[in-house]
Amino acid sequence: MSLDPADQRQHPRIPTILRVDYAHGRPLRDVTENLSAGGFFVQTEQLFAVGDELRLALSFPGLLDPVEVAGIVAWVRLAAPDQPGGVGIRVESEQDRRRLGDILSAAGPNESAATPQEQDGYRVLIVEDNPHIIEMYSYVLKKLASNDLHGKVPLEVHFAPDGHHALLRLREDRFSLVMLDLYMPVMDGFALVERIREEEELKGIPVIAISAGGKEAQDRAMQLGVDIYLRKPVRFVEVLETVKQLLRIR
């Protein structure tokens, strides 16, 4: 339920995938679905009620250092077969609203990641075994990646059919981000994440995991070292749009 449905659209909302970490000892990690200067939506299975006050840190591995904001749960969306549940967060502090505005238009990147990305471009490896999904996303994402980034930071999207081929690619080339399905043949996403985190040359690569699995799959993925966990159906394009926004700011 919502305190005020009109309040959900008071500010234009932009699809944005950012990691959400909670204060007050909450161990779980969630993800934003969209962002505006007045608030954002968080996909979550945690139980919150309208009016709950939260302090959260929004970030993106390698591109955006944690930005802390305080907000109030303004409305709750129940989970459905075609979309995960979550909560709409309203941000009332002017200082925190400015911080959200910074993410949308003038956020600063992680300095440690800036040099290689500026020199070589930002390269994403998507690990997916379904050829129909690969064909669909290959067209959409490469078209998206070819859009203007003010000529500063080119964005490349590459594909691997399973964890084994992905590991070979990762050892041969430099990638800035890995997006992987958790359930694949040959080598699944869990095993791939484990190998990435074990190898010295790869362990620093940010990893986004995508799964239709439940809480058990999420917990296992996080324990292995996944940075962001997304539930299917997932919007690959929105992840890439988030990356492009952060790179464009640079």
Side-chain angles (χ1 to χ4, degrees):
M1 297 180 63
S2 170
L3 291 174
D4 182 1
D7 185 64
Q8 300 175 26
R9 294 294 178 264
Q10 182 177 358
H11 301 274
R13 292 178 180 266
I14 299 174
T16 310
I17 306 296
L18 297 175
R19 175 169 131 176
V20 178
D21 291 284
Y22 297 88
H24 310 303
R26 289 181 177 268
L28 294 181
R29 183 186 302 159
D30 289 315
V31 63
T32 62
E33 185 175 290
N34 56 47
L35 194 73
S36 77
F40 47 92
F41 187 86
V42 177
Q43 292 183 7
T44 183
E45 294 182 353
Q46 301 186 69
L47 297 179
F48 295 110
V50 170
D52 284 350
E53 297 182 4
L54 301 174
R55 176 159 289 279
L56 315 98
L58 310 181
S59 63
F60 195 98
L63 287 178
L64 179 68
D65 289 331
V67 176
E68 294 190 1
V69 296
I72 299 174
V73 176
W75 60 289
V76 177
R77 184 179 77 193
L78 299 178
D82 61 339
Q83 66 179 8
V87 293
I89 305 295
R90 184 177 66 244
V91 174
E92 297 183 334
S93 160
E94 286 301 321
Q95 182 180 19
D96 286 350
R97 289 192 175 202
R98 285 195 296 271
R99 289 171 177 165
L100 294 181
D102 287 343
I103 295 176
L104 291 169
S105 63
N110 187 318
E111 292 182 2
S112 64
T115 300
Q117 289 168 8
E118 288 175 356
Q119 290 177 348
D120 305 325
Y122 196 92
R123 305 177 78 238
V124 179
L125 179 63
I126 295 178
V127 191
E128 171 62 59
D129 66 301
N130 188 320
H132 301 292
I133 294 179
I134 292 175
E135 182 179 2
M136 176 177 64
Y137 285 122
S138 179
Y139 171 78
V140 174
L141 294 177
K142 287 182 179 179
K143 182 177 180 180
L144 176 68
S146 67
N147 290 342
D148 175 48
L149 273 174
H150 304 297
K152 293 182 179 179
V153 185
L155 174 62
E156 298 180 10
V157 180
H158 301 262
F159 292 87
D162 54 57
H164 173 72
H165 287 86
L167 195 59
L168 294 177
R169 292 293 307 273
L170 290 168
R171 289 167 174 168
E172 293 172 353
D173 296 312
R174 184 200 62 82
F175 286 94
S176 312
L177 176 69
V178 176
M179 297 173 58
L180 54 85
D181 192 350
L182 288 177
Y183 297 100
M184 298 177 293
V186 185
M187 180 191 290
D188 64 19
F190 296 107
L192 176 58
V193 174
E194 191 169 19
R195 297 292 291 275
I196 289 174
R197 295 305 182 224
E198 287 176 348
E199 297 196 15
E200 187 66 30
E201 297 299 320
L202 304 180
K203 65 181 182 181
I205 300 176
V207 176
I208 295 179
I210 301 153
S211 175
K215 180 69 165 50
E216 183 178 351
Q218 180 179 8
D219 290 345
R220 183 182 174 193
M222 291 299 187
Q223 290 172 1
L224 289 172
V226 163
D227 294 284
I228 294 177
Y229 180 92
L230 300 177
R231 299 171 182 85
K232 289 185 176 179
V234 69
R235 302 174 178 88
F236 282 103
V237 175
E238 292 179 5
V239 176
L240 267 295
E241 282 285 14
T242 301
V243 169
K244 286 190 63 179
Q245 172 68 12
L246 297 174
L247 291 174
R248 185 179 294 116
I249 289 166
R250 176 167 307 178

